Amino acid sequence: MSADYTALKRELGYFIGDDRLIDDPLRTLAYGTDASFYRLIPKLVVKVNDEAEMVRILAAAHRFNTPVTFRAAGTSLSGQAISDSVLLLLSGDYWRGYSISDDAAIIRLQPGVIGAWANSYLAPYQRKIGPAPASINAAKIGGIAANNASGMCCGTAQNSYHTLASLRLILADGTVLDTADPQSVTAFRDSHDELLKSLSVLAAETRNNPTLAERIRHKYRLKNTTGYSLNALIDFADPIDILQHLMIGSEGTLGFISEIGYRTVVDHPCKSTALILFPTVEIACQAVALLKQAPVTAVELMDRAALRSVQDKPDMPAYLHALDDEVAALLVDVRAADPETLKLQVAEILAVLKNIQLVREAEFTFDSVAYQALWNIRKGLFPAVGAVRTTGTTVIIEDIAFPVPQLAAAVRGLHQLFEKYHYHEALIFGHALEGNLHFVFTQDFGITAEVQRYQGLMDEVCTLVVGEYGGSLKAEHGTGRNMAPFVEMEWGSDAYRLMWQLKRLFDPANLLNPGVILNEDAEIHLKNLKPLPPADPLIDKCIECGFCEPICPSRNLTLTPRQRIVSWREISRLKKSGEDAQRLARFEHDFAYQGLDTCALDGLCAIECPVGIDTGKLTRQIRQSQHGSAAARIGDWVDRHFSTVAATTRAGLRLAALSQDLLGDRLMGKTSGLMRRLSGERIPQWNPAMPRAAGKLPASVTDVPGRNGTVVYFPSCVSRTMGPAKSDPFQADLHQVMQSLLYKAGYRVIIPERPEGLCCGMALESKGLLAQADQSLLRLERALWAASEQGRYPVLCDTSPCTFHMLEQIRQPLQIHEPVGFINRYLLEHLRRTSQMASVALHITCTSRKMGLADEMRRLAQQCAQQVFLSEDKGCCGFAGDKGFTRPELNASALKRLKASLPADCEMGISNSRTCEIGLSLHAGLSYQSIVYLVDRCFEAEYPA
């Protein structure tokens, strides 16, 4: 019986809303894409909110004989998170629960928790979870456990398998088992006695087969994620223990993990590292063998090609350029509970290496900045290849392990294969203590001869790893589709047959992620290869890793940066090929809202992206290309008559305030909503956090003398037009408070001439009116240049986004500051604190993060309040200039969890962008205002005039 997707969707529609049952072409492509180099497009994508829904979905899938694949973050690399059937996504605002035991020895996590979040929850206890994949800032716990991901400092002892405390899971038949709950275990033993007996029999047969048992022990002396976790059959006697450990690394093919309990590990606060250079890889590997006995946390091996790939990056050591071609490096990491112990450990390591030949003396750094710079060498290797690859090619990162005594010979063997198959850009790095190597190269899958070249390389790599050295074909990235054809080659026929027995025992209908781990198609690793057609130089370097997704404000509403790029690549391909005009029209229509209208343009994706892609720049460029002459004329008029636009805005705000006073908030909201609907959503939505009109600016130059200096103050157009909301605790305009603070600190204030007509142009740029934005910025630049006496005086802008835009775009050598940095650097020394608030909520804007001001902002807030709370989600608020008015659903989605994440006793919220503060106030349930208000309230002049 074949799958009936229409009937299944109708069945699911009884308990899942239409907005979470997705089958349109654009979103099935976008949501169906993961970080691997494979592509399957699902027939149906379902966003699943909770365990009860998952149980009902699995029951329905069984009735309709429909395969399903579970997806967490989609950062996996081996093709285990894609499907051409039904893809079950963890809804972004759900599956995020966690609990920590009193002694912090155990943390229980739902599968939607990002790995880095788990560590942040444990940080106050100086604990962390054991797994530490490179993708930990994006990867979710469900994927980390299902793939048995490990990482640089994890080794084998601290992976999910070895730190598993308990598991809550859903089997293919919909049964829920919680191994931490004795009642659940008892009920399961009664209901699934045959399953547990079968596991016990298989375990006994395995232990009684000395050859197979010894092979399993041998395989797991190394890192190994090829196939199922057969070690569970010899490590445990209780079938419940066997079952839950089999789930680790099963890649969603045996069941769904709805919660995992981890035994936490110590997270030592004191750290040191050294990049140690050796004349050859053989000598480096001799050092690895010695370091296994030393108190090291991690040892990362890098060949010369790896070092060469990053040597021109900023902050890299100059000596990297002068190294011989044979040089290899070890990045050695050491951690301890206190500085004294750390120094003793470093001394012990240096003693171990004293008889090893080095290229230069080993130097451990204890400085946090230098420490991070050295680790950036290692972290930059994968993106370094991605950034320089030929457009249209993809980046492959393979993941293997060798016995450490054979590591040097294995590296030489890989180098010979790269040479033989002409992968001259390939580089090698890895977790040397475990013999775990990654090699990275670029590949074109659009040419048959190139696919054959790849096939030849991989066939010989498998022979090298398994045949010559008895290694692992997948050490930590999971089997997926990538290595499924080679599982039997690595494990042998007995173990392979055992794996199929386990699969059929748990999933007799083969509906859970079929084709992953076990696949009878010997060439499945060469099929369904993902195309990466050129689309635009702004995004062509994207490797679709998904690291950008957790920070994107539209991630739970429409598309993420990765998904926007996937969609635009397909639109561009269809335009160039001309093959399917109907599909192209549908894509362009849907992308207008999904991709363009709901992109916040915040640019935080570039910070998280390994190759620095700002998807917002693509959005602006597309908007510009879609503008006709009418839009350009409107933009020109706005640019020339900006003072009129500002005056009109203030008049509108005064009218809205009057209406609010007359109608009250409830009736005003209903009236505004009706007018918005009648206008086709062209009229902005009013809300109770809407500001009132700001008052008039003072004279251009004040008479207050500047005993401590002079500053040019540019009140942004937002703060010139938008005053406080009716319910805000501080009712003075921001420009008044900013000047009050400057006067207290003894500064003379200059305001540029005719400020009412000045704007940085960011609002025009966000609409794609780039030429008009440039004109507006140029006018402002000239005014600031004149007011500052050609850069003599610093320039202060009171709004973070405007300041960042000016810093990026202004060409004259102006000293441009936003409030937080200026207050910290220039004002606090002339002020004295007279009071503190009890507690405040702090929102750090996107542009503050991009300017590196997050820590400064936090420290300044802590000067003004005894407690400072930050929301769990650290991304953009989604107000995005005026989108909070025109697309309020973006702001609502981005801040859905804000109110629940803040304690009830917060007195107010603070930020440094007026528009962001509107959305924050609306969704937090308390007023947000500029941090300037708080500083002005809590500080007075050190020496009153």
Side-chain angles (χ1 to χ4, degrees):
M1 182 177 69
S2 62
D4 186 342
Y5 296 100
T6 302
L8 176 64
K9 182 181 178 183
R10 184 169 56 250
E11 174 86 3
L12 299 183
Y14 291 125
F15 60 95
I16 295 177
D18 288 343
D19 60 322
R20 294 192 284 123
L21 297 173
I22 298 159
D23 58 4
D24 62 271
L26 182 141
R27 288 187 294 169
T28 51
L29 170 67
Y31 292 170
T33 298
D34 74 349
S36 74
F37 51 92
Y38 299 100
R39 171 158 293 152
L40 293 173
I41 301 176
K43 306 292 192 306
L44 178 66
V45 176
V46 185
K47 291 186 174 182
V48 188
N49 282 356
D50 55 38
E51 191 179 81
E53 285 187 356
M54 188 67 79
V55 169
R56 295 181 69 178
I57 291 168
L58 291 178
H62 188 269
R63 284 198 301 276
F64 291 98
N65 193 40
T66 307
V68 298
T69 294
F70 308 113
R71 164 78 71 83
T75 58
S76 51
L77 297 164
S78 301
Q80 57 266 66
I82 58 175
S83 172
D84 57 1
S85 181
V86 176
L87 187 66
L88 305 179
L89 298 182
L90 303 182
S91 292
D93 283 325
Y94 300 84
W95 304 100
R96 293 172 61 167
Y98 73 95
S99 62
I100 300 174
S101 64
D102 291 342
D103 60 357
I106 292 177
I107 184 169
R108 291 173 65 90
L109 298 157
Q110 289 189 331
V113 175
I114 289 174
W117 296 351
N119 284 339
S120 72
Y121 306 149
L122 290 167
Y125 309 96
Q126 292 191 2
R127 310 286 293 183
K128 62 180 180 178
I129 60 171
S135 58
I136 195 166
N137 289 331
K140 295 179 179 178
I141 290 298
I144 290 173
N147 290 289
N148 199 19
S150 47
M152 288 178 279
C153 299
C154 174
T156 53
Q158 295 183 355
N159 62 19
S160 292
Y161 181 94
H162 287 293
T163 58
L164 175 66
S166 64
L167 209 62
R168 186 174 174 91
L169 57 98
I170 307 173
L171 295 180
D173 63 4
T175 301
V176 177
L177 167 64
D178 187 345
T179 66
D181 180 355
Q183 290 184 331
S184 176
V185 171
T186 299
F188 188 83
R189 290 187 191 277
D190 291 338
S191 64
H192 286 70
D193 180 60
E194 289 301 316
L195 171 63
L196 296 177
K197 283 181 179 177
S198 297
L199 285 177
S200 294
V201 169
L202 289 177
E205 290 176 351
T206 303
R207 288 192 293 269
N208 291 330
N209 182 335
T211 302
L212 178 57
E214 179 54 33
R215 181 156 186 78
I216 291 170
R217 292 187 186 97
H218 170 76
K219 297 298 293 181
Y220 287 105
R221 289 190 184 102
L222 303 177
K223 276 189 177 182
N224 195 326
T225 59
T226 308
Y228 290 121
S229 299
L230 295 184
N231 47 341
L233 297 170
I234 60 174
D235 288 346
F236 302 98
D238 188 331
I240 294 292
D241 282 330
I242 295 172
L243 188 155
Q244 68 174 353
H245 284 85
L246 282 170
M247 287 292 161
I248 301 300
S250 65
E251 301 176 26
T253 64
L254 302 182
F256 173 76
I257 297 171
S258 62
E259 185 179 77
I260 183 169
Y262 278 114
R263 291 191 298 274
T264 63
V265 300
V266 175
D267 184 19
H268 289 308
C270 300
K271 304 174 184 179
S272 180
T273 195
L275 183 68
I276 306 176
L277 301 171
F278 302 87
T280 66
V281 69
E282 285 81 6
I283 297 175
C285 291
Q286 289 176 25
V288 172
L290 296 173
L291 289 169
K292 281 185 74 72
Q293 311 306 317
V296 294
T297 306
V299 177
E300 293 293 299
L301 173 69
M302 290 170 274
D303 69 359
R304 182 66 183 98
L307 296 172
R308 190 178 292 113
S309 72
V310 295
Q311 66 188 21
D312 294 322
K313 301 292 183 183
D315 301 323
M316 293 296 107
Y319 57 75
L320 294 181
H321 290 83
L323 300 177
D324 292 338
D325 289 344
E326 289 293 305
V327 168
L330 295 179
L331 185 63
V332 180
D333 192 79
V334 197
R335 302 184 183 186
D338 56 78
E340 292 73 21
T341 303
L342 185 65
K343 290 176 182 177
L344 290 173
Q345 290 176 340
V346 167
E348 184 177 343
I349 293 166
L350 292 174
V352 164
L353 296 174
K354 67 180 179 180
N355 295 321
I356 294 286
Q357 184 182 358
L358 305 180
V359 171
R360 53 181 291 139
E361 185 179 354
E363 296 180 3
F364 279 83
T365 181
F366 299 87
D367 177 76
S368 60
V369 175
Y371 177 96
Q372 192 59 51
L374 288 177
W375 271 100
N376 285 343
I377 297 176
R378 165 62 179 83
K379 293 177 180 178
L381 297 178
F382 181 41
V385 177
V388 299
R389 77 184 194 278
T390 302
T391 299
T393 64
T394 190
V395 183
I396 308 293
I397 178 169
E398 287 296 349
D399 165 46
I400 53 185
F402 299 96
V404 171
Q406 283 82 48
L407 192 57
V411 172
R412 290 295 185 192
L414 287 172
H415 282 156
Q416 290 168 6
L417 290 179
F418 299 155
E419 188 68 25
K420 176 179 178 178
Y421 286 97
H422 307 293
Y423 286 99
H424 302 299
E425 80 288 358
L427 54 87
I428 296 173
F429 60 91
H431 319 316
L433 289 178
E434 312 301 330
N436 179 192
L437 297 180
H438 303 307
F439 59 95
V440 182
F441 57 95
T442 61
Q443 178 67 48
D444 189 338
F445 286 127
I447 302 171
T448 301
E450 285 293 288
V451 176
Q452 292 171 345
R453 181 169 71 116
Y454 170 74
Q455 181 180 13
L457 174 69
M458 293 313 299
D459 285 347
E460 291 211 41
V461 165
C462 291
T463 300
L464 176 78
V465 174
V466 176
E468 292 190 37
Y469 296 109
S472 306
L473 292 173
K474 281 294 178 183
E476 58 180 2
H477 291 174
T479 310
R481 287 171 169 78
N482 183 219
M483 280 297 159
F486 303 97
V487 174
E488 185 172 11
M489 175 186 179
E490 174 168 340
W491 276 98
S493 57
D494 285 352
Y496 190 62
R497 187 164 47 250
L498 177 57
M499 291 182 190
W500 272 111
Q501 287 178 282
L502 290 168
K503 172 64 173 174
R504 291 170 182 138
L505 186 61
F506 282 90
D507 182 24
N510 195 28
L511 296 181
L512 300 184
N513 213 0
V516 168
I517 296 184
L518 303 178
N519 198 310
E520 293 174 331
D521 185 345
E523 295 190 344
I524 193 62
H525 65 303
L526 304 174
K527 297 178 180 178
N528 306 306
L529 299 170
K530 181 195 293 183
L532 289 176
D536 190 285
L538 290 171
I539 59 169
D540 283 341
K541 297 303 180 186
C542 175
I543 53 181
E544 298 182 2
C545 64
F547 286 12
C548 56
E549 294 191 334
I551 206 76
C552 179
S554 62
R555 63 191 180 277
N556 298 323
L557 176 67
T558 52
L559 301 181
T560 65
R562 167 168 65 177
Q563 293 161 355
R564 287 184 170 90
I565 290 172
V566 169
S567 302
W568 190 248
R569 279 175 166 161
E570 178 65 3
I571 290 171
S572 301
R573 186 190 70 80
L574 290 170
K575 284 181 177 179
K576 291 172 184 174
S577 68
E579 66 184 50
D580 192 336
Q582 186 175 2
R583 179 177 169 86
L584 173 61
R586 175 71 185 274
F587 262 66
E588 290 185 314
H589 175 271
D590 291 352
F591 190 73
Y593 177 77
Q594 296 284 336
L596 300 179
D597 290 354
T598 52
C599 177
L601 305 172
D602 57 89
L604 288 181
C605 46
I607 296 176
E608 302 298 326
C609 174
V611 291
I613 295 171
D614 181 351
T615 314
K617 291 182 179 178
L618 175 70
T619 301
R620 293 187 189 96
Q621 182 171 284
I622 297 171
R623 288 176 181 171
Q624 181 187 29
S625 68
Q626 294 176 345
H627 286 318
S629 57
R633 286 196 296 273
I634 293 171
D636 288 336
W637 188 91
V638 169
D639 173 45
R640 293 194 306 271
H641 301 87
F642 192 81
S643 59
T644 302
V645 173
T648 303
T649 302
R650 282 193 295 272
L653 291 173
R654 281 193 287 271
L655 178 61
L658 179 61
S659 301
Q660 179 187 13
D661 291 341
L662 291 173
L663 300 176
D665 289 359
R666 186 176 178 183
L667 185 55
M668 179 67 176
K670 288 185 175 181
T671 304
S672 171
L674 176 62
M675 293 176 65
R676 177 169 167 77
R677 287 193 296 273
L678 292 175
S679 71
E681 299 192 341
R682 293 182 179 87
I683 296 175
Q685 174 69 51
W686 180 90
N687 64 66
M690 192 76 81
R692 299 192 163 207
K696 187 177 180 181
L697 284 174
S700 297
V701 182
T702 66
D703 295 329
V704 177
R707 65 180 182 274
N708 293 319
T710 297
V711 62
V712 175
Y713 170 42
F714 170 58
S716 70
C717 57
V718 173
S719 60
R720 297 197 309 268
T721 56
M722 298 181 182
K726 183 178 182 179
S727 59
D728 284 344
F730 300 106
Q731 286 296 305
D733 293 331
L734 177 57
H735 61 78
Q736 295 173 324
V737 178
M738 188 76 253
Q739 290 183 86
S740 165
L741 188 60
L742 290 168
Y743 297 155
K744 287 180 185 179
Y747 271 77
R748 173 174 172 256
V749 179
I750 299 174
I751 294 178
E753 293 288 340
R754 293 186 289 279
E756 62 277 358
L758 297 177
C759 175
C760 69
M762 186 171 60
L764 291 166
E765 182 181 273
S766 69
K767 302 293 186 296
L769 298 166
L770 305 187
Q772 294 81 2
D774 288 344
Q775 287 300 315
S776 186
L777 181 71
L778 181 60
R779 189 177 303 109
L780 173 62
E781 182 177 340
R782 289 169 178 165
L784 295 178
W785 187 244
S788 67
E789 296 185 11
Q790 293 72 50
R792 178 183 176 189
Y793 303 126
V795 174
L796 171 64
C797 178
D798 54 24
T799 302
S800 170
C802 302
T803 308
F804 182 71
H805 186 69
M806 291 158 61
L807 285 166
E808 278 198 316
Q809 301 290 337
I810 284 180
R811 284 169 277 185
Q812 294 285 10
L814 291 168
Q815 309 166 56
I816 300 173
H817 302 270
E818 57 74 61
V820 171
F822 194 82
I823 291 169
N824 279 330
R825 290 176 181 80
Y826 301 106
L827 303 190
L828 284 185
E829 63 179 310
H830 305 299
L831 300 169
R832 58 185 178 89
R833 189 173 65 196
T834 57
S835 64
Q836 270 189 308
M837 295 188 77
S839 62
V840 298
L842 172 63
H843 175 76
I844 301 171
T845 59
C846 312
T847 44
S848 294
R849 293 185 187 278
K850 289 190 283 188
M851 287 187 283
L853 291 169
D855 289 339
E856 281 200 57
M857 200 166 182
R858 190 180 298 110
R859 286 196 297 270
L860 183 58
Q862 288 167 345
Q863 293 261 4
C864 303
Q866 295 170 19
Q867 289 185 297
V868 177
F869 297 99
L870 277 84
S871 169
E872 178 183 283
D873 292 330
K874 299 177 177 63
C876 172
C877 70
F879 206 89
D882 63 350
K883 282 196 180 296
F885 302 124
T886 60
R887 294 292 181 191
E889 67 271 24
L890 175 60
N891 181 229
S893 178
L895 298 181
K896 184 175 181 179
R897 294 175 57 88
L898 175 61
K899 187 173 183 178
S901 72
L902 297 175
D905 61 351
C906 273
E907 295 181 72
M908 68 174 294
I910 51 175
S911 188
N912 60 351
S913 170
R914 186 67 191 96
T915 51
C916 297
E917 290 152 14
I918 297 169
L920 292 162
S921 299
L922 177 64
H923 295 289
L926 75 161
S927 292
Y928 274 75
Q929 289 188 272
S930 171
I931 194 170
V932 175
Y933 286 95
L934 194 57
V935 178
D936 186 61
R937 175 191 185 273
C938 296
F939 285 84
E940 294 295 337
E942 185 176 19
Y943 304 106

